[in-house]
Amino acid sequence: MKKLTALFIDDDVFMLKALQRTARRSKPDWDFYLCEDCNNWQSVLPKGVIPDVVFCDYLMPQSNGDDVLLDIANIIPSAVRVLLTGDTAEDVVTKVSAITHFVLKKPFSIDDLTHVFSCVERLNALNFNQETRNKFGRIGYYFALPEIVTEVQQLFASDDVDIEQAADVIIHESFIAAKIIQLANSAFLGYSRPTVSLAEAIKRLGLKMTETIVISMAVSDCLRDKVPANLHHLINDWAFNFSSQSRQLSQSMGFNSAMTDMVSIAALLTGIGQLALIAESDEYINTAECDEQLFVLRDASILTVYILTLWGFSVDLCKLILLQDNPNFGAQAFNEDKLGLIMYLVKLRLLCKLDKSEKETLLNLVSDKQIVDWIDENL
C-alpha cells in the first residue's frame, strides 16, 4: 500500500514541531514534511513526492493561508487541503470554503488531526486514479458540513439519544423538518396512522435515515443559489424517489432492516454529487428542459463518494454508491453486491424503458432468479 504523506506549513517553528509530534503519534507510518516559509513550500518536498494532505496556518507574515492553499490547489490539485486558524468567524470560513476541505480551529487536538488523516486514508483506499483526484481537486464545491448537520450528528452519536432535543434542533429548519415528516408518513414505511410530530417521525425513520435526510437537504440548500430552481427541485425529488424505490425493492428481496437502510441512504446521498456537478457546470446550468439524462451525469456517483469520504463516511457505504454504476450482475447473496445491483436496476427503471434487445441482454447477465423475475415484470 502507498505510504501517505503530509506537509505542514506555518511560520511558527514551535507550532510546526507540535504538529509533527502530534501527527507522528497518530500516524507513525506516514511521512511528514515541515515548511516555515510559505512562499517556498515546494522546496521542502523531495523530488517526486506529492503530499496527500497539506495543513497550512491562516495568518502568516508572508501570505495568508488561503492564498497558499490556492497555489497548492493549482499545482497539486489532488492534495487534501486543511486550514489551521484561531479565527473561525463566519466570514473567514465562508471565504476559504471553496479552497479548503477542512478548517481546524486552534488549539487543535490529536482527534482533530486523526479525523483528517482517517479521511485521507479512506480516500486513498478507494483507489481513484490521479486524473480523477486532480479533476475533483480543481473545482470549488468543498464546503464544511452545515451547522445543523454537525449538531444532529453530535446528538445522534450519544449512547442515550434525546429524540425530543434532536427534534428541537431540526424544527428550526422548516423545509428539512417538513421533508422528514412527509417521509415518515409515506406508504413505504407502512404506518396506517399519520403523524405531524417531528419526534415521532424521527423514531419512524430511524437515526441513520434522519441524519441522511438532514445532510441531503442541508447540502442541497447550500447549492441552491448555484442551481436553477427547476433542476434543484427535480434532482431532490429524483433522489428521494430513487431512495424510496431502492428500499422497497431490497425489502421485497428479503434484506434485513440494516441493509435496506444502507441502500436507501446510499441512493439518497447520490443526489449530492448530481447537484455539485450541475453547480459547477455551464453545460447544465442553462438547460431549458430537464430530461432523464440529467440523472446519468458522468462522475456524479464518483463525486458523491469523493465528498462523502472527506466528510468521514464509511468505505462500505461509499463502495455501495459506486456499485450502482458498475454492478455485479452475478450477485445472489444478501450482501452489498446485490444491493448495488438493486440500485442499478431501480435507476434503469426511473430513467428509461428498455427495448426488447436490451432487456434480453440484461436478463442473460443476471443470475439471481428473484431479480430476473423483477426485471421481466418491471423493465
Side-chain angles (χ1 to χ4, degrees):
M1 183 178 289
K2 171 190 170 186
K3 193 170 188 178
L4 297 176
T5 301
L7 170 64
F8 296 110
I9 304 172
D10 198 315
D11 63 296
D12 184 341
V13 65
F14 296 106
M15 178 60 73
L16 282 177
K17 294 293 185 181
L19 277 165
Q20 185 181 50
R21 285 193 302 270
T22 305
R24 280 180 172 166
R25 286 200 301 272
S26 175
K27 297 295 175 184
D29 54 336
W30 281 44
D31 283 335
F32 300 102
Y33 297 93
L34 309 182
C35 176
E36 293 179 58
D37 182 359
C38 64
N39 292 325
N40 291 294
W41 59 268
Q42 293 183 75
S43 65
V44 306
L45 297 171
K47 185 177 180 180
V49 170
I50 299 175
D52 297 282
V53 57
V54 178
F55 296 78
C56 187
D57 189 31
Y58 180 51
L59 292 176
M60 295 178 289
Q62 306 99 318
S63 284
N64 277 355
D66 55 326
D67 293 325
V68 177
L69 289 178
L70 180 58
D71 185 40
I72 288 170
N74 290 328
I75 298 171
I76 312 175
S78 62
V80 174
R81 302 179 289 277
V82 185
L83 193 73
L84 305 171
T85 178
D87 186 354
T88 54
E90 185 176 346
D91 58 335
V92 172
V93 175
T94 302
K95 177 185 176 185
V96 303
S97 63
I99 303 164
T100 62
H101 300 95
F102 297 91
V103 178
L104 298 187
K105 182 180 180 180
K106 294 181 177 180
F108 54 85
S109 68
I110 189 170
D111 289 341
D112 295 329
L113 291 183
T114 299
H115 174 68
V116 175
F117 293 147
S118 176
C119 291
V120 174
E121 287 176 335
R122 290 176 181 180
L123 197 59
N124 185 63
L126 290 166
N127 293 318
F128 290 147
N129 61 42
Q130 193 65 34
E131 181 183 355
T132 298
R133 293 282 298 271
N134 287 341
K135 175 181 178 180
F136 292 157
R138 286 191 183 101
I139 45 184
Y141 37 58
Y142 300 106
F143 35 83
L145 281 170
E147 185 177 353
I148 185 177
V149 176
T150 55
E151 285 187 71
V152 168
Q153 287 181 327
Q154 288 169 2
L155 287 171
F156 287 180
S158 170
D159 292 334
D160 186 21
V161 179
D162 187 333
I163 299 296
E164 294 291 344
Q165 186 179 357
D168 287 342
V169 170
I170 295 171
I171 199 68
H172 292 290
E173 300 288 343
S174 57
F175 186 58
I176 296 175
K179 178 58 72 172
I180 289 172
I181 291 172
Q182 177 194 356
L183 289 175
N185 285 303
S186 59
F188 79 92
L189 285 182
Y191 287 94
S192 57
R193 179 180 61 81
T195 183
V196 293
S197 163
L198 182 55
E200 185 176 347
I202 293 171
K203 291 176 184 176
R204 287 185 179 185
L205 290 169
L207 300 184
K208 287 184 179 179
M209 178 54 70
T210 299
E211 179 184 326
T212 304
I213 293 167
V214 172
I215 292 169
S216 176
M217 301 310 294
V219 168
S220 175
D221 193 56
C222 288
L223 296 172
R224 187 177 299 275
D225 292 340
K226 293 186 175 182
V227 179
N230 61 330
L231 295 186
H232 190 275
H233 180 74
L234 189 65
I235 290 171
N236 278 336
D237 283 354
W238 191 91
F240 278 101
N241 197 18
F242 184 28
S243 175
S244 173
Q245 291 197 30
S246 295
R247 174 190 285 269
Q248 288 176 324
L249 181 53
S250 61
Q251 283 177 329
S252 71
M253 294 286 173
F255 279 90
N256 62 32
S257 59
M259 298 295 270
T260 57
D261 278 349
M262 187 177 183
V263 73
S264 184
I265 288 167
L268 182 56
L269 290 174
T270 300
I272 291 175
Q274 292 169 334
L275 282 169
L277 275 181
I278 291 173
E280 294 294 327
S281 174
D282 291 337
E283 181 180 350
Y284 294 98
I285 203 76
N286 293 319
T287 301
E289 295 183 2
C290 311
D291 60 28
E292 62 199 21
Q293 295 307 310
L294 181 66
F295 304 106
V296 287
L297 294 180
R298 185 172 178 270
D299 293 337
S301 299
I302 297 175
L303 178 54
T304 299
V305 166
Y306 191 89
I307 294 172
L308 293 181
T309 300
L310 290 173
W311 287 346
F313 281 74
S314 72
V315 172
D316 288 342
L317 178 66
C318 290
K319 285 182 176 178
L320 176 56
I321 291 172
L322 293 175
L323 280 172
Q324 68 181 284
D325 296 325
N326 295 285
N328 175 5
F329 292 104
Q332 297 189 62
F334 288 97
N335 57 21
E336 286 80 3
D337 278 352
K338 190 169 177 179
L339 288 179
L341 179 55
I342 284 172
M343 291 176 71
Y344 172 82
L345 294 172
V346 170
K347 187 182 285 188
L348 274 183
R349 184 186 189 185
L350 290 171
L351 293 177
C352 59
K353 187 73 174 177
L354 299 182
D355 64 30
K356 185 176 180 179
S357 174
E358 290 169 333
K359 185 172 180 177
E360 285 299 322
T361 299
L362 181 58
L363 287 169
N364 289 332
L365 289 172
V366 173
S367 303
D368 188 280
K369 186 179 185 306
Q370 273 187 303
I371 291 183
V372 166
D373 291 342
W374 185 89
I375 292 171
D376 205 36
E377 293 176 8
N378 295 276
L379 293 180

XYZ file of all heavy atoms in Angstrom, residues 4-67:
520
model
N 1.566 7.254 2.847
C 0.932 8.555 2.742
C 1.825 9.651 3.312
O 2.663 9.412 4.185
C -0.414 8.539 3.463
C -1.441 7.564 2.855
C -2.709 7.530 3.663
C -1.745 7.912 1.413
N 1.609 10.868 2.785
C 2.497 11.996 3.084
C 1.687 13.234 3.445
O 0.674 13.531 2.811
C 3.372 12.314 1.861
O 4.144 11.169 1.519
C 4.313 13.469 2.159
N 2.167 13.968 4.470
C 1.537 15.230 4.865
C 2.578 16.341 4.894
O 3.740 16.112 5.261
C 0.890 15.097 6.240
N 2.158 17.534 4.491
C 3.001 18.728 4.533
C 2.362 19.730 5.490
O 1.180 20.041 5.372
C 3.122 19.336 3.137
C 3.781 20.725 3.034
C 5.241 20.676 3.476
C 3.657 21.270 1.608
N 3.148 20.236 6.447
C 2.689 21.258 7.389
C 3.381 22.584 7.075
O 4.610 22.634 6.970
C 3.005 20.855 8.833
C 2.289 19.621 9.298
C 2.973 18.440 9.523
C 0.913 19.645 9.516
C 2.318 17.297 9.959
C 0.251 18.505 9.955
C 0.952 17.331 10.172
N 2.584 23.656 6.936
C 3.129 24.982 6.626
C 2.706 25.958 7.725
O 1.507 26.154 7.969
C 2.614 25.483 5.262
C 2.949 24.481 4.153
C 3.204 26.856 4.946
C 2.306 24.815 2.805
N 3.693 26.556 8.391
C 3.412 27.522 9.463
C 4.687 28.312 9.716
O 5.779 27.732 9.741
C 2.970 26.796 10.737
C 2.266 27.724 11.723
O 2.770 28.845 11.946
O 1.223 27.323 12.261
N 4.562 29.630 9.896
C 5.754 30.441 10.162
C 6.273 30.244 11.590
O 7.397 30.626 11.908
C 5.446 31.925 9.943
C 4.386 32.439 10.908
O 3.232 31.953 10.819
O 4.709 33.309 11.738
N 5.476 29.638 12.458
C 5.849 29.393 13.854
C 6.495 28.011 13.960
O 5.811 26.987 13.867
C 4.605 29.475 14.736
C 4.909 29.339 16.218
O 5.992 28.843 16.570
O 4.046 29.731 17.023
N 7.814 27.976 14.170
C 8.534 26.706 14.212
C 8.060 25.833 15.370
O 8.044 24.597 15.267
C 10.061 26.948 14.293
C 10.448 27.627 15.606
C 10.824 25.643 14.110
N 7.660 26.452 16.494
C 7.179 25.670 17.629
C 5.855 24.982 17.298
O 5.611 23.845 17.707
C 7.039 26.563 18.862
C 8.357 27.133 19.339
C 8.668 28.470 19.134
C 9.292 26.323 19.977
C 9.877 28.997 19.562
C 10.507 26.843 20.410
C 10.798 28.179 20.196
N 5.004 25.696 16.559
C 3.749 25.092 16.124
C 4.006 23.934 15.169
O 3.362 22.879 15.242
C 2.859 26.145 15.450
C 1.536 25.596 14.923
S 0.498 24.853 16.202
C -0.049 26.319 17.063
N 4.972 24.115 14.262
C 5.322 23.042 13.333
C 5.780 21.794 14.067
O 5.386 20.671 13.750
C 6.416 23.512 12.372
C 5.997 24.402 11.209
C 7.223 24.832 10.415
C 5.011 23.677 10.291
N 6.657 21.975 15.056
C 7.167 20.841 15.816
C 6.035 20.151 16.587
O 5.991 18.911 16.691
C 8.249 21.303 16.792
C 9.512 21.829 16.122
C 10.250 20.722 15.387
C 11.579 21.229 14.817
N 12.298 20.173 14.066
N 5.106 20.971 17.129
C 3.970 20.405 17.854
C 3.079 19.588 16.911
O 2.606 18.494 17.257
C 3.159 21.514 18.507
N 2.849 20.126 15.715
C 2.077 19.405 14.709
C 2.737 18.079 14.356
O 2.086 17.033 14.273
C 1.928 20.259 13.440
C 0.814 21.302 13.423
C 1.042 22.274 12.274
C -0.551 20.644 13.288
N 4.042 18.132 14.155
C 4.772 16.925 13.776
C 4.710 15.857 14.875
O 4.463 14.678 14.594
C 6.228 17.272 13.466
C 7.045 16.092 12.932
C 8.484 16.493 12.668
O 9.139 17.080 13.521
N 8.964 16.196 11.467
N 4.912 16.278 16.129
C 4.861 15.313 17.232
C 3.477 14.672 17.346
O 3.339 13.448 17.490
C 5.209 16.013 18.553
C 6.677 16.335 18.727
C 6.978 16.716 20.179
N 6.182 17.856 20.622
C 6.573 19.133 20.502
N 7.736 19.416 19.921
N 5.809 20.119 20.932
N 2.455 15.513 17.267
C 1.084 15.006 17.379
C 0.758 14.076 16.217
O 0.153 13.009 16.400
C 0.079 16.171 17.409
O 0.430 17.072 18.454
C -1.334 15.663 17.644
N 1.167 14.475 15.018
C 0.882 13.676 13.824
C 1.583 12.327 13.881
O 1.011 11.296 13.514
C 1.304 14.442 12.580
N 2.825 12.311 14.359
C 3.569 11.051 14.422
C 2.970 10.087 15.440
O 3.033 8.872 15.262
C 5.035 11.335 14.751
C 5.837 11.793 13.532
C 7.278 12.076 13.875
N 8.060 12.324 12.665
C 9.274 12.861 12.656
N 9.854 13.210 13.819
N 9.917 13.047 11.535
N 2.407 10.643 16.520
C 1.733 9.766 17.483
C 0.494 9.125 16.850
O 0.173 7.969 17.122
C 1.320 10.558 18.726
C 2.470 10.921 19.650
C 1.973 11.259 21.053
N 1.026 12.366 21.073
C 1.378 13.644 21.165
N 2.668 13.978 21.230
N 0.464 14.595 21.191
N -0.185 9.902 16.035
C -1.398 9.406 15.404
C -1.100 8.452 14.249
O -1.737 7.404 14.119
C -2.241 10.586 14.891
O -3.368 10.142 14.182
N -0.126 8.822 13.410
C 0.173 8.040 12.208
C 1.690 7.830 12.075
O 2.355 8.493 11.278
C -0.373 8.753 10.961
C -1.885 8.897 10.942
C -2.570 7.533 10.855
C -4.077 7.663 10.954
N -4.740 6.324 10.962
N 2.255 6.910 12.845
C 3.707 6.697 12.807
C 4.224 6.180 11.470
O 5.424 6.284 11.189
C 3.945 5.673 13.927
C 2.615 4.994 14.124
C 1.589 6.037 13.830
N 3.344 5.636 10.640
C 3.778 5.082 9.356
C 3.684 6.094 8.208
O 3.984 5.769 7.059
C 2.942 3.844 9.011
C 1.446 4.112 9.038
O 1.020 5.066 9.726
O 0.691 3.367 8.370
N 3.260 7.320 8.477
C 3.211 8.367 7.454
C 4.551 9.096 7.386
O 5.353 9.045 8.323
C 2.133 9.390 7.807
C 0.714 8.991 7.502
C 0.123 7.784 7.747
C -0.298 9.819 6.930
N -1.190 7.805 7.381
C -1.469 9.047 6.870
C -0.322 11.125 6.479
C -2.666 9.546 6.362
C -1.514 11.635 5.981
C -2.674 10.846 5.914
N 4.759 9.818 6.289
C 5.892 10.751 6.169
C 5.375 12.174 6.370
O 4.329 12.538 5.808
C 6.552 10.655 4.787
C 7.439 9.424 4.658
O 7.922 8.934 5.696
O 7.625 8.961 3.521
N 6.115 12.977 7.147
C 5.708 14.358 7.423
C 6.828 15.321 7.058
O 8.002 15.078 7.369
C 5.343 14.518 8.901
C 4.204 13.638 9.336
C 4.445 12.471 10.047
C 2.889 13.957 9.027
C 3.407 11.646 10.438
C 1.839 13.138 9.413
C 2.098 11.979 10.122
N 6.457 16.431 6.389
C 7.414 17.459 6.000
C 6.958 18.794 6.576
O 5.753 19.089 6.618
C 7.530 17.536 4.476
C 8.074 16.264 3.862
C 7.204 15.264 3.402
C 9.443 16.044 3.772
C 7.699 14.084 2.857
C 9.945 14.863 3.224
C 9.064 13.898 2.776
O 9.562 12.720 2.257
N 7.931 19.601 7.016
C 7.651 20.878 7.666
C 8.176 22.034 6.832
O 9.272 21.947 6.262
C 8.303 20.926 9.056
C 8.034 19.756 9.994
C 8.723 19.991 11.343
C 6.536 19.524 10.191
N 7.398 23.132 6.773
C 7.797 24.303 5.998
C 7.495 25.577 6.792
O 6.345 25.823 7.151
C 7.061 24.316 4.659
S 7.386 25.783 3.661
N 8.551 26.400 7.037
C 8.374 27.682 7.729
C 8.112 28.828 6.759
O 7.486 29.817 7.119
C 9.636 28.022 8.540
C 9.900 27.106 9.711
C 11.167 27.497 10.434
O 11.254 28.657 10.896
O 12.086 26.663 10.513
N 8.606 28.710 5.535
C 8.465 29.764 4.532
C 7.392 29.365 3.536
O 7.623 28.561 2.626
C 9.804 29.989 3.814
C 9.737 31.103 2.785
O 8.648 31.693 2.606
O 10.767 31.378 2.141
N 6.213 29.934 3.707
C 5.069 29.502 2.891
C 5.254 29.778 1.406
O 4.600 29.156 0.567
C 3.792 30.157 3.401
S 3.757 31.958 3.257
N 6.136 30.729 1.066
C 6.348 31.043 -0.352
C 7.297 30.061 -1.029
O 7.461 30.101 -2.250
C 6.892 32.465 -0.502
C 5.857 33.511 -0.124
O 4.665 33.323 -0.364
N 6.299 34.603 0.484
N 7.902 29.194 -0.244
C 8.837 28.213 -0.801
C 8.502 26.800 -0.330
O 9.397 25.994 -0.053
C 10.279 28.571 -0.398
C 10.778 29.841 -1.072
O 10.935 29.889 -2.288
N 10.995 30.882 -0.276
N 7.212 26.509 -0.261
C 6.788 25.209 0.255
C 7.260 24.043 -0.615
O 7.487 22.938 -0.111
C 5.269 25.172 0.424
C 4.478 25.424 -0.828
C 4.005 26.621 -1.273
C 4.080 24.456 -1.815
N 3.333 26.472 -2.453
C 3.362 25.146 -2.810
C 4.244 23.084 -1.936
C 2.821 24.503 -3.921
C 3.722 22.429 -3.038
C 3.016 23.146 -4.020
N 7.417 24.283 -1.911
C 7.833 23.185 -2.789
C 9.257 22.718 -2.499
O 9.605 21.558 -2.739
C 7.723 23.612 -4.256
C 6.288 23.842 -4.715
C 6.214 24.194 -6.186
O 6.379 23.336 -7.049
N 5.950 25.463 -6.489
N 10.073 23.622 -1.937
C 11.482 23.296 -1.721
C 11.697 22.258 -0.631
O 12.753 21.619 -0.584
C 12.268 24.572 -1.378
O 11.834 25.105 -0.134
N 10.724 22.075 0.269
C 10.911 21.112 1.355
C 10.498 19.698 0.949
O 10.733 18.742 1.693
C 10.127 21.533 2.625
C 10.492 22.941 3.039
C 8.625 21.390 2.430
N 9.903 19.558 -0.210
C 9.456 18.245 -0.667
C 10.526 17.596 -1.536
O 11.003 18.213 -2.487
C 8.159 18.363 -1.473
C 6.930 18.890 -0.727
C 5.796 19.153 -1.716
C 6.478 17.899 0.341
N 10.924 16.372 -1.215
C 11.871 15.666 -2.091
C 11.292 15.517 -3.494
O 10.069 15.515 -3.691
C 12.016 14.306 -1.410
C 11.606 14.528 0.003
C 10.539 15.580 -0.040
N 12.168 15.394 -4.459
C 11.741 15.262 -5.853
C 10.804 14.079 -6.018
O 11.086 12.970 -5.569
C 12.972 15.091 -6.750
C 12.628 15.078 -8.238
C 13.880 14.986 -9.097
C 13.527 14.985 -10.579
N 14.749 14.898 -11.438
N 9.703 14.327 -6.680
C 8.736 13.266 -6.953
C 7.719 13.022 -5.854
O 6.782 12.241 -6.037
N 7.864 13.679 -4.701
C 6.920 13.486 -3.590
C 5.721 14.417 -3.758
O 5.886 15.639 -3.871
C 7.594 13.742 -2.224
C 6.551 13.768 -1.108
C 8.637 12.680 -1.944
N 4.533 13.838 -3.792
C 3.278 14.597 -3.878
C 2.534 14.397 -2.567
O 2.116 13.279 -2.251
C 2.413 14.113 -5.058
C 3.142 14.308 -6.382
C 1.081 14.857 -5.072
C 2.400 13.752 -7.577
N 2.376 15.447 -1.767
C 1.681 15.270 -0.480
C 0.217 14.904 -0.682
O -0.455 15.415 -1.578
C 1.827 16.633 0.190
C 2.058 17.593 -0.925
C 2.791 16.840 -1.984
N -0.258 13.998 0.158
C -1.666 13.617 0.115
C -2.538 14.635 0.834
O -3.720 14.771 0.526
C -1.843 12.237 0.751
C -1.104 11.160 -0.013
O -1.616 10.733 -1.059
O 0.000 10.772 0.427
N -1.957 15.346 1.793
C -2.696 16.348 2.551
C -1.732 17.462 2.940
O -0.560 17.211 3.242
C -3.371 15.728 3.801
C -2.358 15.045 4.706
C -4.165 16.768 4.572
N -2.234 18.703 2.890
C -1.440 19.870 3.267
C -2.187 20.641 4.345
O -3.354 21.005 4.170
C -1.174 20.790 2.062
C -0.377 22.019 2.505
C -0.438 20.042 0.959
N -1.494 20.880 5.467
C -2.016 21.706 6.553
C -1.317 23.060 6.491
O -0.086 23.119 6.417
C -1.728 21.071 7.917
C -2.410 19.756 8.161
C -1.919 18.581 7.597
C -3.525 19.677 8.975
C -2.530 17.355 7.830
C -4.149 18.460 9.224
C -3.649 17.298 8.646
N -2.081 24.130 6.532
C -1.472 25.462 6.425
C -2.120 26.429 7.404
O -3.353 26.483 7.524
C -1.619 25.983 4.997
S -0.748 27.525 4.687
N -1.273 27.208 8.107
C -1.777 28.230 9.010
C -2.449 29.350 8.206
O -2.069 29.620 7.053
C -0.618 28.794 9.839
C -1.109 29.700 10.954
O -2.211 29.449 11.463
O -0.393 30.652 11.297
N -3.439 29.993 8.811
C -4.177 31.040 8.096
C -3.432 32.368 8.079
O -3.230 32.973 7.014
C -5.565 31.221 8.731
C -6.407 32.276 8.056
C -6.590 32.263 6.672
C -7.029 33.269 8.797
C -7.373 33.228 6.051
C -7.814 34.231 8.190
C -7.977 34.212 6.810
O -8.747 35.162 6.199
N -2.989 32.842 9.246
C -2.325 34.147 9.331
C -0.813 33.965 9.426
O -0.303 33.448 10.418
C -2.841 34.925 10.547
C -4.291 35.397 10.477
C -4.693 36.072 11.774
C -4.493 36.346 9.295
N -0.117 34.395 8.367
C 1.341 34.329 8.331
C 1.875 35.645 7.764
O 1.175 36.315 6.998
C 1.807 33.141 7.471
C 1.430 31.783 8.038
S 1.949 30.393 6.986
C 0.801 30.585 5.604
N 3.102 36.031 8.107
C 3.639 37.321 7.660
C 3.718 37.450 6.142
O 3.408 38.506 5.576
C 5.041 37.369 8.282
C 4.982 36.431 9.432
C 4.033 35.346 9.024
N 4.112 36.387 5.462
C 4.327 36.484 4.016
C 3.028 36.422 3.214
O 2.830 37.157 2.250
C 5.261 35.356 3.525
C 6.578 35.278 4.264
C 6.536 34.186 5.337
O 5.538 34.038 6.052
N 7.623 33.431 5.446
N 2.130 35.513 3.614
C 0.866 35.310 2.885
C -0.171 34.718 3.818
O 0.176 34.069 4.812
C 1.062 34.343 1.707
O 1.712 34.930 0.633
N -1.434 34.934 3.470
C -2.490 34.235 4.191
C -2.575 32.793 3.710
O -2.292 32.493 2.542
C -3.839 34.920 3.975
C -4.035 36.091 4.912
O -3.208 36.356 5.789
N -5.138 36.805 4.730
N -3.003 31.921 4.621
C -3.057 30.503 4.295
C -3.980 30.163 3.143
O -3.720 29.215 2.393
N -5.070 30.941 2.973
C -5.975 30.637 1.862
C -5.304 30.877 0.518
O -5.541 30.144 -0.453
C -7.279 31.424 1.980
C -7.055 32.916 2.094
O -6.054 33.324 2.705
O -7.885 33.686 1.564
N -4.417 31.892 0.444
C -3.679 32.136 -0.799
C -2.675 31.016 -1.065
O -2.482 30.590 -2.215
C -2.942 33.476 -0.726
C -3.899 34.658 -0.687
O -4.963 34.572 -1.333
O -3.586 35.654 -0.012
